[in-house]
Amino acid sequence: MSVAMPETDERVLETGFDATIAADQRIEPRDWMPEGYRKTLIRQIAQHAHSEIIGMQPEGNWILRAPSLRRKAILLAKVQDEAGHGMYLYAAAETLGVDREELTEKLIDSKQKYSSIFNYPTLSYADIGVIGWLVDGAAICNQVPLCRCSYGPYARAMIRICKEESFHQRQGYELLLAMANGTDEQKRMVQESTDRWWWPSLMMFGPPDGDSPNSQQSMAWNIKRHTNDELRQRFVDMSVPQAEALGVTLPDPELRWNDERKAHDYGEPDWEEFKAVVAGSGPANAQRVAHRRRAHEGGAWVREAAQAYADKQAARKNEARKAAA
Amino acid sequence: MNTPDEEEVTAEGGHGAVPVTGVETGQGEKPSRRTWPLYEVFVRGKRGLNHVHVGSLHAPDDEMALHNARDVYTRRNEGVSIWVVKADDITASSPAEKDPFFDPSADKVYRHPTFYRIPEEVPHL
Ligand SMILES: [Fe+2]
Ligand SMILES: [Fe+2]
């Protein structure tokens, strides 16, 4: 649309866009927007959607082995929610002019990625609790500000998602409380799982602000509202009393209250590991993508059958209409 | 494509860090297969409220669209009634809210109750 437009028109449109952002109003799908803004959003929303979809796998791993019908039903509902989150987000991405089918193909061809956190395996049932507590907890820190993101469809999808996330975090924490009040073996499982997930959860906020040049543009566009380090700090401060209530130790010797800053000091995550995991050498990376591909390709016949049925019904209706005329 | 070393990552989206460089957007690409039509979904939250747009989905036909809408958008009794409409069948006014299309109503202040000055002692008006 902007291709054939004279330069001055484009400048008028850009001024309008800038004014909308400056007034902290929402940009809607049919509004003019700079190419960079559109591209950033497509990338972010698509990879966010992929993260929800891939995120079903580590937890889905435990549905059949959940220890009671109650826990099974809860976990099933939680994993189903994550599928829903993926769907809301693909719908938002499509308003920017990309095709959902195409995004799925980019995921299984590894041309688009998903969050590093889902490349870690779920080794014990306590991981189900810790994922709800820490991983969904970190996701909530990231997602709540996105409810005020400048792109309307993304912000609205995030509002739906955030409403559901609080169930995710609470069911995880409650599961851990049950185990923490259980046998010594169960207590050990909770501690062991916390030890494995704490650092990857901190890494969910991305590299330190100094190494995150892209964030500045996103903040200027009101897509991102807080820096990586601000959100990480918030998460650490929230988690410390929660860990205390559970009776687990967070595996960071440098973690302590800083009375001057009125916040906790904490150690530096291992960014080398982080880079390797995002790049795809995480413990479960190949498995996650292969599983998604298998599910997509294995489901092809169902989609084709549904299409064939729809075609047949449409043809029948047409004939009936002709016969009646 | 960037090598993993120079790949830039940040905490975009909900679950944290993802690459921001070397990511294809797929803009303007057409899917290789014939795809299902896009439906917009509207949900009536409860009796007495209007249907409100909640999102979209793809489905092979109207009936499947309705079923999928129930599963995707009303997992917690968020609605008592759902409409699905093929996106292609929707006619919309043009982009910005300041659009000339809406001008005719913007200058008709007499459509609003505040246009009419009524003495303060007159109650219930
Ligand atoms: Fe989610
Ligand atoms: Fe979640």
Side-chain angles (χ1 to χ4, degrees):
Chain A
M1 175 181 165
S2 59
V3 183
M5 207 172 287
E7 178 109 3
T8 43
D9 284 3
E10 178 131 357
R11 211 166 306 143
V12 170
L13 291 168
E14 181 139 29
T15 312
F17 172 86
D18 291 345
T20 307
I21 295 287
D24 203 2
Q25 294 215 324
R26 300 290 172 265
I27 303 295
E28 294 296 342
R30 287 146 49 93
D31 288 343
W32 183 90
M33 60 189 91
E35 256 328 274
Y37 179 83
R38 185 184 296 273
K39 276 211 168 73
T40 297
L41 279 167
I42 293 173
R43 181 187 69 223
Q44 173 163 346
I45 301 172
Q47 296 194 129
H48 191 165
H50 299 333
S51 303
E52 303 282 358
I53 296 297
I54 295 289
M56 289 193 282
Q57 292 183 36
E59 291 180 287
N61 185 30
W62 284 90
I63 292 175
L64 292 178
R65 290 176 287 168
S68 66
L69 192 56
R70 176 174 183 269
R71 296 289 173 194
K72 231 185 267 285
I74 292 171
L75 186 53
L76 200 57
K78 202 252 182 193
V79 172
Q80 198 187 14
D81 271 356
E82 304 300 1
H85 296 178
M87 296 302 123
Y88 307 156
L89 289 165
Y90 284 130
E94 271 192 311
T95 64
L96 291 158
V98 288
D99 185 90
R100 200 174 301 207
E101 188 90 354
E102 198 61 36
L103 296 179
T104 297
E105 252 140 55
K106 295 245 178 291
L107 168 66
I108 58 183
D109 290 340
S110 291
K111 287 174 180 160
Q112 293 177 343
K113 300 274 172 57
Y114 53 87
S115 301
S116 51
I117 193 77
F118 302 116
N119 287 334
Y120 292 91
T122 40
L123 303 177
S124 94
Y125 179 67
D127 288 7
I128 297 309
V130 171
I131 287 179
W133 171 37
L134 294 179
V135 176
D136 286 279
I140 291 172
C141 285
N142 275 327
Q143 287 176 333
V144 167
L146 285 173
C147 296
R148 294 184 296 121
C149 157
S150 61
Y151 189 57
Y154 191 29
R156 292 192 286 274
M158 290 319 303
I159 290 171
R160 296 186 78 83
I161 288 175
C162 284
K163 272 188 197 151
E164 299 176 351
E165 289 294 355
S166 109
F167 146 59
H168 297 179
Q169 199 187 19
R170 290 173 68 100
Q171 63 81 33
Y173 195 80
E174 189 231 40
L175 188 164
L176 294 177
L177 272 177
M179 290 183 83
N181 290 314
T183 63
D184 285 350
E185 175 62 16
Q186 287 175 319
K187 283 178 203 164
R188 263 197 299 280
M189 281 171 77
V190 174
Q191 183 62 57
E192 187 274 335
S193 175
T194 305
D195 290 345
R196 271 185 294 113
W197 289 95
W198 174 249
W199 291 108
S201 302
L202 284 196
M203 293 181 200
M204 284 175 66
F205 297 95
D209 293 347
D211 302 339
S212 191
N214 246 286
S215 305
Q216 270 152 30
Q217 178 61 75
S218 282
M219 288 184 77
W221 277 329
N222 289 348
I223 295 174
K224 198 172 164 65
R225 297 287 187 163
H226 305 280
T227 71
N228 297 353
D229 286 332
E230 280 167 12
L231 292 168
R232 186 165 18 243
Q233 181 72 57
R234 191 176 296 177
F235 176 70
V236 170
D237 292 337
M238 274 171 37
S239 302
V240 169
Q242 294 168 349
E244 267 162 29
L246 276 178
V248 293
T249 312
L250 296 173
D252 178 357
E254 292 172 54
L255 184 67
R256 64 178 58 89
W257 177 252
N258 180 328
D259 207 41
E260 254 164 62
R261 291 202 305 121
K262 297 286 173 227
H264 291 85
D265 291 337
Y266 56 93
E268 194 71 29
D270 178 357
W271 294 115
E272 286 311 305
E273 175 193 314
F274 166 79
K275 274 184 201 152
V277 175
V278 177
S281 37
N285 187 286
Q287 188 192 332
R288 300 278 184 254
V289 176
H291 185 84
R292 183 69 194 90
R293 174 183 292 281
R294 222 167 27 243
H296 185 66
E297 288 171 358
W301 72 270
V302 181
R303 295 191 292 277
E304 281 155 23
Q307 183 64 64
Y309 178 79
D311 288 346
K312 206 192 229 169
Q313 293 300 315
R316 258 190 214 152
K317 221 186 252 174
N318 247 338
E319 257 159 50
R321 203 174 301 143
K322 258 186 235 153
Chain B
M1 267 305 258
N2 289 333
T3 67
D5 273 356
E6 22 179 279
E7 195 168 63
E8 217 173 87
V9 292
T10 195
E12 282 188 343
H15 300 81
V18 285
V20 291
T21 49
V23 178
E24 293 182 9
T25 61
Q27 264 172 291
E29 286 176 37
K30 276 277 138 252
S32 37
R33 260 166 280 108
R34 178 184 157 201
T35 56
W36 295 345
L38 180 68
Y39 285 84
E40 298 294 341
V41 181
F42 302 78
V43 170
R44 184 200 295 287
K46 55 181 181 196
R47 288 175 184 280
L49 297 182
N50 287 319
H51 285 77
V52 171
H53 181 245
V54 292
S56 70
L57 48 77
H58 289 263
D61 58 38
D62 299 356
E63 217 171 307
M64 284 285 282
L66 211 46
H67 277 250
N68 292 349
R70 182 200 58 195
D71 293 345
V72 176
Y73 291 103
T74 63
R75 283 193 304 286
R76 290 181 176 77
N77 299 320
E78 288 97 332
V80 293
S81 158
I82 305 176
W83 290 346
V84 290
V85 187
K86 275 203 187 99
D88 282 348
D89 291 341
I90 295 178
T91 308
S93 73
S94 31
E97 284 167 26
K98 303 193 218 67
D99 194 83
F101 187 77
F102 293 104
D103 277 357
S105 69
D107 62 5
K108 291 180 182 61
V109 281
Y110 49 83
R111 285 176 186 255
H112 298 275
T114 44
F115 179 75
Y116 304 94
R117 213 170 302 149
I118 309 280
E120 254 171 57
E121 27 332 332
V122 184
H124 308 304
L125 260 176

